Amino acid sequence: NKLLAKFYPTEKGQFTIGDTNAADLSTGSLRKRMAYINRNTYIFNGTVQDNVALNGACPSEMIEKALAIACLNDEFTPHSVVGSEGKAISDGQRVRLAIARAVIKNPDIFLIDEALTALDPSTEKKILKNLKEAFPKATVMIITHRDTILEAMDRVFVLHDKQFSDGMSVQELHENKAFKTLFSYSERGR
């Protein structure tokens, strides 16, 4: 994730957004096109609307749409008050507020770093389906150790011994002998 956001230089290979090499974009321009979501999102004391829009001007209808995509519309309205640092909300609600915040940004790339582990698999799948429907041209990159999310992915890349595998389908991943132990170990942990 830090490599994609240009915190570190790319040593080899390239990362493109559409036809544009990310190396050709300024750091600020690249980061404006990305939304980073993690489990440690700061939630401040105020309304959901203020937290999602980060006190920027954003109509309630946009907030309501973002809450629906993040599967929070049954739990909060834009005018619901949440506690300082999210202490009055669960970890799952904190992550879903972060997703709603990302939706408002309207990014080309959603980078979700271990955040979905705070959600149950059913909610996780609903949110990913909602993101795909609302942002059909966006790229959703998920960093995870949880294999339940794999079925929702078009391509899977595995980081092993500081190297990324070639992108593969979920079927190809499950058939790959090098990664079979990864999944058999994961299955034992359930």
Side-chain angles (χ1 to χ4, degrees), residues 17-184:
I17 301 174
D19 294 331
T20 305
N21 185 340
D24 296 337
L25 297 171
S26 71
T27 301
S29 176
L30 175 63
R31 291 181 187 168
K32 284 180 185 174
R33 296 175 78 172
M34 298 173 74
Y36 178 70
I37 303 162
N38 69 21
R39 288 186 66 158
N40 301 319
T41 297
Y42 183 79
I43 305 296
F44 54 90
N45 192 39
T47 66
V48 167
Q49 180 154 349
D50 289 342
N51 271 281
V52 171
L54 295 175
N55 287 326
C58 189
S60 288
E61 302 80 45
M62 283 181 67
I63 300 294
E64 289 168 3
K65 180 180 177 185
L67 292 176
I69 291 169
C71 296
L72 271 174
N73 52 323
D74 290 338
E75 299 172 48
F76 294 118
T77 69
H79 305 292
S80 298
V81 176
V82 292
S84 179
E85 295 185 47
K87 289 184 177 131
I89 63 174
S90 71
D91 285 346
Q93 289 170 326
R94 175 189 300 269
V95 166
R96 289 181 288 151
L97 280 170
I99 291 168
R101 188 180 285 171
V103 164
I104 293 299
K105 190 174 179 180
N106 194 25
D108 293 320
I109 300 169
F110 289 87
L111 182 56
I112 304 173
D113 188 355
E114 293 287 354
L116 299 179
T117 58
L119 307 176
D120 63 89
S122 173
T123 302
E124 178 182 87
K125 287 178 184 173
K126 285 179 194 170
I127 290 172
L128 290 174
K129 178 181 176 281
N130 292 346
L131 286 173
K132 282 185 174 189
E133 289 174 0
F135 299 90
K137 293 186 178 189
T139 297
V140 178
M141 299 178 73
I142 300 173
I143 299 167
T144 187
H145 288 87
R146 207 157 97 174
D147 63 349
T148 56
I149 194 69
L150 292 177
E151 298 304 320
M153 301 295 100
D154 296 324
R155 304 296 292 161
V156 178
F157 297 84
V158 177
L159 178 62
H160 183 70
D161 290 333
K162 298 182 183 180
Q163 296 289 322
F164 278 104
S165 68
D166 290 331
M168 60 188 96
S169 69
V170 175
Q171 178 72 27
E172 291 168 328
L173 180 66
H174 284 291
E175 292 170 359
N176 187 312
K177 290 179 184 177
F179 300 117
K180 277 204 186 272
T181 56
L182 174 71
F183 292 105
S184 60

